[in-house]
Amino acid sequence: MAATADPAGNDAALQRERDERRRRERWLAGLAGTAASRWRVTVAASVAAGWLLVPQAWALAALLDAVFVRGAGLEGHLLPLLVLGGCLAARALLAWSARDAAGDVSEAARAELRGRLWRALQAGGPRWLRRHASGALAELPLSHAEAAGDYHAGYRLARIETAWVPPVLLLAMFFADPVPGLLLLLAAPLLPVSMVLVGWGAESASRAQLGELARMGGRFADRLRGLGLIRLYGRGEAELEGIALAAEGLRVRSMRVLRIAFLSAAVLEFFASASVALVALYFGLGYLGMLPVDVAPDLGTGLFCLLLAPEFFAPMRRLGARYHDRAAALAAAAGIESVLGLLPERTPDAPPPRAEARSLDDARGIPDAVQPMPGPSPGRGQPVLRVQALSLASAPGASPLLEGLDLELHPGERLAVTGPSGSGKSLLLEAVAGWVPPLAGEIVVAGGVRIGLAGQRPHLFQGTLADNLRLAGDCPPADLLAAAEAAQVMRFARQLPGGLDAAVGERGFGLSGGEARRVALARALLRRPGLLLLDEPTAFLDPQTEAALLEALSRHAAGCAVLVATHSPRVMRWAGRVLDLPSGQVRPAGEVRP
């Protein structure tokens, strides 16, 4: 027996969809809040330009009626001439003002959305970013922000014009002759109905197009980064076929959006043209005496109504032409919400995003995950770091790797964190840095203490070695060189052409894993941290370089609390104490065998 649909369930689903659409439209409208004054200028200029069509049509109809019907000259019709000239000039000025202000509103909306996305991505933190394709995330401030800007300059403005201009033109036509006004009044509802029907398909098609664009961008960026591996395994042709299929999918979805846009424009033009033709037919039959009325309309009235009839539908045609902007913007909002889990809101009194002297290695991704201790910087008896009953998981919903962990670090103390791979050593360091929110317990860092982190997978930018070091902040060349010497960067930099000015490729291309970690360590030291977090700093190093690095750290990071994750017995003895994971027990480093 065939299953029957539940009407109540369908109605509830449709209502939820409408509520979601309204919520996203309110969010899109809020993006232009910083340009509220320019938006008011846009609306006032556009509406005033539309209203001026009434005196302009009257003046033009009066002049044509006087010249061609009454055979009079223009000498006695100075008022219509002045009105016509003034309306033309005023409408040109208003149209320019509206376009200029609309452009400002559109740019403000794009900038606001990009700022919100920037803050949302920062709040997500590096671990969250690693779970998403970078190419797909890069599309959010590009195509999605463009769609939000077009929504304000296109659809939102056309909707305001449609709400305020046609009713005034319709009243003027009713005043001149009720019959054409009634014809347009009966035809007007057909246009919004057709736009709504077409708009449902347009939003779905735009969402599919933006999703395919994000997937293609992510796929292409990932394959480009792994080009060497693809060539090594002989997968070049297969990947080219995959990219070709992704491009074909994007083409198909883009053409679907264009088909819907052209269909909506054709439907609007049909209804508008048919309505104007009916008005023209009414006046034509009236002038021929074929209407069942005793009084035929005069030429001036007919010209006035015929001049206003196309303008009555003009805002609706613009709204229909821009309706796909709304669909694309709603699809962009849905895409942002699906990636971030929410629509990013404006942070009260938040400064605009700006470049900071910090990198992914030392960024504090989730500032609320680590609580600062009240009061001044720690003294000799106060801990720099206090961890109490801490529980951590590697991902939301995953089983905890660490539970009930307690530890304290005072200024100048060192603690080595050791344990089998996957026991949570890197997770603990990232939680202290503020990248991972605790499941339970708390992490408290003394107020005013800077944190420096050198991770296992440091992010190096394309540029020079010195450029990557200066991400920690502006510093004199002597300090730059001292940090590079302490981190043993100069051991390999002296062999490179240019030394610290040697070029580095994207993501540290051209450097070994150990060399990249040493650059990250030097960058962390340049921050002059009070708490230094090191993740396998001596991995891939020969014993001589390891010993030199630890000796230099003892001098350069004197007085700094150090939490270091390691498998190296030498680093454990250098630290003096060892925290075993996952047990959480602290023991003296003297028990560590060479």
Side-chain angles (χ1 to χ4, degrees), residues 153 174 369 380 459 569-570:
F174 264 112
R380 184 173 298 274
H459 191 99
R570 176 172 285 174

Side-chain angles (χ1 to χ4, degrees), residues 209-226:
Q209 181 204 24
L210 285 173
E212 188 66 28
L213 183 63
R215 283 191 295 273
M216 183 180 175
R219 180 187 181 95
F220 187 76
D222 289 340
R223 269 50 180 185
L224 191 62
R225 283 194 293 268

Side-chain angles (χ1 to χ4, degrees), residues 350-372:
R354 58 184 176 86
E356 295 187 22
R358 54 196 284 176
S359 73
L360 292 179
D361 302 299
D362 53 35
R364 295 285 294 276
I366 308 174
D368 292 336
V370 178
Q371 301 297 328

Side-chain angles (χ1 to χ4, degrees), residues 166 170 182-193 275 312-313 316:
L170 190 64
L182 184 61
L183 290 174
L184 296 185
L185 182 62
L186 294 175
L190 297 176
L191 276 74
V193 171
S275 303
F312 174 80
F313 290 105
M316 299 182 197

Side-chain angles (χ1 to χ4, degrees), residues 149-183:
D150 293 342
Y151 169 82
H152 288 275
Y155 171 78
R156 193 180 176 203
L157 179 58
R159 186 178 63 182
I160 296 290
E161 288 184 283
T162 302
W164 288 96
V165 174
V168 173
L169 304 187
L170 190 64
L171 286 174
M173 293 180 68
F174 264 112
F175 182 79
D177 192 324
V179 175
L182 184 61
L183 290 174

Side-chain angles (χ1 to χ4, degrees), residues 337-429:
E337 191 170 13
S338 67
V339 173
L340 301 180
L342 50 82
L343 291 173
E345 298 293 343
R346 181 174 177 81
T347 305
D349 301 324
R354 58 184 176 86
E356 295 187 22
R358 54 196 284 176
S359 73
L360 292 179
D361 302 299
D362 53 35
R364 295 285 294 276
I366 308 174
D368 292 336
V370 178
Q371 301 297 328
M373 290 183 187
S377 299
R380 184 173 298 274
Q382 295 178 317
V384 173
L385 170 67
R386 185 172 68 243
V387 175
Q388 293 180 328
L390 181 66
S391 296
L392 294 173
S394 59
S399 299
L401 283 178
L402 300 177
E403 291 185 283
L405 181 65
D406 297 294
L407 67 89
E408 279 191 0
L409 267 183
H410 291 76
E413 288 186 342
R414 307 169 192 157
L415 179 63
V417 184
T418 187
S421 296
S423 59
K425 300 186 296 297
S426 298
L427 184 66
L428 174 61
L429 296 185

Side-chain angles (χ1 to χ4, degrees), residues 404-471:
L405 181 65
D406 297 294
L407 67 89
E408 279 191 0
L409 267 183
H410 291 76
E413 288 186 342
R414 307 169 192 157
L415 179 63
V417 184
T418 187
S421 296
S423 59
K425 300 186 296 297
S426 298
L427 184 66
L428 174 61
L429 296 185
E430 291 177 351
V432 173
W435 291 5
V436 181
L439 295 178
E442 64 177 357
I443 302 171
V444 184
V445 175
V449 170
R450 281 189 175 184
I451 296 179
L453 171 63
Q456 283 193 41
R457 294 180 292 273
H459 191 99
L460 300 185
F461 295 90
Q462 185 172 10
T464 66
L465 288 171
D467 292 337
N468 278 277
L469 294 178
R470 289 192 189 98
L471 289 172

Side-chain angles (χ1 to χ4, degrees), residues 68-344:
F68 292 104
V69 176
R70 302 178 189 176
L74 297 177
E75 294 80 6
H77 297 82
L78 182 60
L79 179 60
L81 277 174
L82 292 176
V83 171
L84 179 60
C87 287
L88 290 173
R91 291 190 69 240
L93 180 61
L94 289 170
W96 174 83
S97 300
R99 283 195 300 270
D100 183 63
D104 292 342
V105 173
S106 177
E107 286 302 317
R110 293 188 184 99
E112 175 66 20
L113 177 54
R114 286 168 181 148
R116 293 187 188 184
L117 287 172
W118 170 264
R119 289 187 288 272
L121 294 177
Q122 273 193 323
R127 292 186 67 89
W128 180 87
L129 290 173
R130 292 172 194 161
R131 294 196 294 268
H132 294 79
S134 57
L137 293 177
E139 281 298 323
L140 297 182
L142 296 177
S143 58
H144 292 63
E146 288 298 319
D150 293 342
Y151 169 82
H152 288 275
Y155 171 78
R156 193 180 176 203
L157 179 58
R159 186 178 63 182
I160 296 290
E161 288 184 283
T162 302
W164 288 96
V165 174
V168 173
L169 304 187
L170 190 64
L171 286 174
M173 293 180 68
F174 264 112
F175 182 79
D177 192 324
V179 175
L182 184 61
L183 290 174
L184 296 185
L185 182 62
L186 294 175
L190 297 176
L191 276 74
V193 171
S194 66
M195 283 191 296
V196 169
L197 294 176
V198 174
W200 287 344
E203 182 178 348
S204 176
S206 296
R207 188 178 302 175
Q209 181 204 24
L210 285 173
E212 188 66 28
L213 183 63
R215 283 191 295 273
M216 183 180 175
R219 180 187 181 95
F220 187 76
D222 289 340
R223 269 50 180 185
L224 191 62
R225 283 194 293 268
L227 189 59
L229 188 63
I230 290 171
R231 293 184 61 186
L232 180 64
Y233 283 91
R235 296 289 299 171
E237 292 298 326
E239 290 299 332
L240 282 176
E241 291 177 4
I243 291 175
L245 287 175
E248 177 64 16
L250 178 61
R251 185 193 70 82
V252 169
R253 284 165 175 78
S254 299
M255 293 304 298
R256 191 172 298 160
V257 172
L258 290 175
R259 279 200 301 270
I260 294 174
F262 284 128
L263 174 62
S264 63
V267 170
L268 289 172
E269 289 296 334
F270 170 77
F271 284 119
S273 301
S275 303
V276 174
L278 286 176
V279 174
L281 180 63
Y282 163 74
F283 283 109
L285 293 177
Y287 296 142
L288 294 174
M290 299 176 65
L291 292 178
V293 292
D294 296 332
V295 180
D298 60 82
L299 181 61
T301 301
L303 286 172
F304 177 74
C305 293
L306 285 174
L307 288 170
L308 287 184
E311 300 295 343
F312 174 80
F313 290 105
M316 299 182 197
R317 287 200 297 270
R318 284 194 291 273
L319 181 63
R322 291 292 192 170
Y323 203 75
H324 69 278
D325 288 340
R326 173 182 181 268
L330 288 174
I336 291 172
E337 191 170 13
S338 67
V339 173
L340 301 180
L342 50 82
L343 291 173

